[in-house]
Amino acid sequence: MDVFVCAGCGTELTAPVSRVALPDHTHFGAWEQLHPPLMEPATYAVEPVSFTAGDSIVIAPGDSRDMVLIPEKCAGYCMGIDGRDGPNLACGGCGSAVATRMDDCGLWQAVWLEPDTVRRIPSGLPAVPTPDWDELDLEAYVVPPVEPDGSWSFRWEAAVPVALAHLVVACEGRPVALPGPLTDLLGDALAGYLPAGPTELTAHLAGPGMPAPRSGDDVLLVPRHPVTGEPWRPPHGTAAVAPLDIGVWAHFALPGETSPLPASGRVPEGVLRDDYPLPLRPWRSFTPHSTAFSRTLVRLPAIHRPGMRAYYDRVATWP
């Protein structure tokens, strides 16, 4: 595990943290809404940034240490601070501006460390081993599509269009049919994001714990590893893959409650009581984040291919 310290005076600025993948929804969230922390406790992620001295590091606000707010740099939109005036957290040891706290509406709560004012050093604690795919507790990663208040999950609204951008590239801009569960839940909202025309390819869900993909599968929707960020790859075959947030993928891939039958006496394994609450249903249709798709698409190297560039030029003009 690592600790980040002030590059000027050496003051420890974070608790011990271990590196994980940058979440797909990092920069995408609904406005006029408060969001929970972006990062899990005791973790950090890295985002490459051009034209700087290094990469941006993001941690959960609760993992910050010995940093104080800079009052004159705490402007925000309405419900918090958004970093519009630059770094708003100073090192408690020397007073240097070292990080930016962000917690305004529409933003995931986070602390972004300035790459040129902090250093990463070993914490002295043993490293957290990176689990293999078959060592992950997939059920622990499931993210329900609907929040308790009936609204769609902000994470879903960002992660699904991000995955669609990868899917379009994996299919080289050709029309593609989504797998049944995804179409049943989100098909109407997602149809406009995919290339139009007669369906040429079909996407299939694949990943750890699922039946092995068939050799003739066109393209696979697979989970991103929560630590490395790398997409799952089939052990054999050459099908293209499109990575999907592991929390969204797990919702579709794991078996759900399959036996909603009343039972008397002791309830057998796998049988539900007849007084279980019904599954949550959203109060509005699914709305993908307005820019998550296009911003992801433009960052993929394949977008520079002639056919893909023409496709992007069409979708870039969407409202």
Side-chain angles (χ1 to χ4, degrees):
M1 300 184 76
D2 303 313
V3 167
F4 289 89
V5 303
C6 175
C9 68
T11 296
E12 292 190 0
L13 303 176
T14 73
V17 288
S18 58
R19 183 171 178 175
V20 297
L22 186 72
D24 282 345
H25 54 281
T26 296
H27 299 296
F28 309 117
W31 286 99
E32 304 292 353
Q33 299 284 341
L34 292 175
H35 289 45
L38 173 68
M39 304 300 297
E40 293 293 326
T43 67
Y44 75 95
V46 175
E47 180 177 42
V49 180
S50 301
F51 311 115
T52 69
D55 299 330
S56 291
I57 302 103
V58 62
I59 63 172
D63 286 325
S64 60
R65 298 289 186 271
D66 211 355
M67 289 188 275
V68 296
L69 284 167
I70 303 172
E72 61 271 20
K73 292 191 175 183
C74 290
Y77 175 65
C78 66
M79 300 181 185
I81 51 180
D82 59 13
R84 66 180 61 188
D85 298 318
N88 53 32
L89 288 173
C91 169
C94 65
S96 300
V98 291
T100 304
R101 170 69 184 260
M102 304 177 76
D103 57 15
D104 205 350
C105 66
L107 303 175
W108 300 92
Q109 296 181 47
V111 169
W112 290 87
L113 305 176
E114 292 294 303
D116 55 347
T117 63
V118 301
R119 290 187 295 111
R120 178 175 59 87
I121 63 173
S123 68
L125 297 176
V128 177
T130 301
D132 292 331
W133 283 107
D134 57 1
E135 297 174 324
L136 292 174
D137 179 8
L138 296 176
E139 290 188 3
Y141 291 99
V142 174
V143 175
V146 183
E147 300 288 353
D149 65 355
S151 63
W152 284 96
S153 163
F154 296 151
R155 183 165 162 181
W156 273 62
E157 290 181 334
V160 170
V162 167
L164 286 180
H166 286 276
L167 179 62
V168 167
V169 167
C171 295
E172 298 179 340
R174 291 177 290 173
V176 57
L178 296 172
L182 200 61
T183 298
D184 294 341
L185 186 61
L186 309 173
D188 290 343
L190 305 184
Y193 285 79
L194 299 175
T199 300
E200 298 181 20
L201 305 173
T202 300
H204 302 272
L205 284 168
M210 298 188 70
R214 298 170 299 182
S215 59
D217 284 345
D218 298 320
V219 62
L220 305 176
L221 276 169
V222 302
R224 291 178 67 234
H225 195 284
V227 176
T228 67
E230 293 298 315
W232 179 86
R233 298 281 180 180
H236 305 289
T238 58
V241 299
L244 178 63
D245 180 307
I246 191 171
V248 178
W249 175 89
H251 172 83
F252 291 114
L254 297 184
E257 297 168 337
T258 56
S259 303
L261 301 176
S264 59
R266 186 170 181 174
V267 180
E269 183 71 24
V271 177
L272 304 183
R273 292 175 57 93
D274 60 350
D275 58 354
Y276 270 29
L278 293 173
L280 290 172
R281 293 289 184 265
W283 53 264
R284 61 173 175 82
S285 59
F286 182 76
T287 306
H289 190 280
S290 59
T291 58
F293 178 81
S294 58
R295 289 187 181 178
T296 301
L297 193 62
V298 76
R299 286 172 170 80
L300 298 177
I303 198 63
H304 298 291
R305 299 173 187 165
M308 289 304 305
R309 183 65 198 187
Y311 172 79
Y312 175 77
D313 288 341
R314 292 197 301 274
V315 303
T317 60
W318 295 352

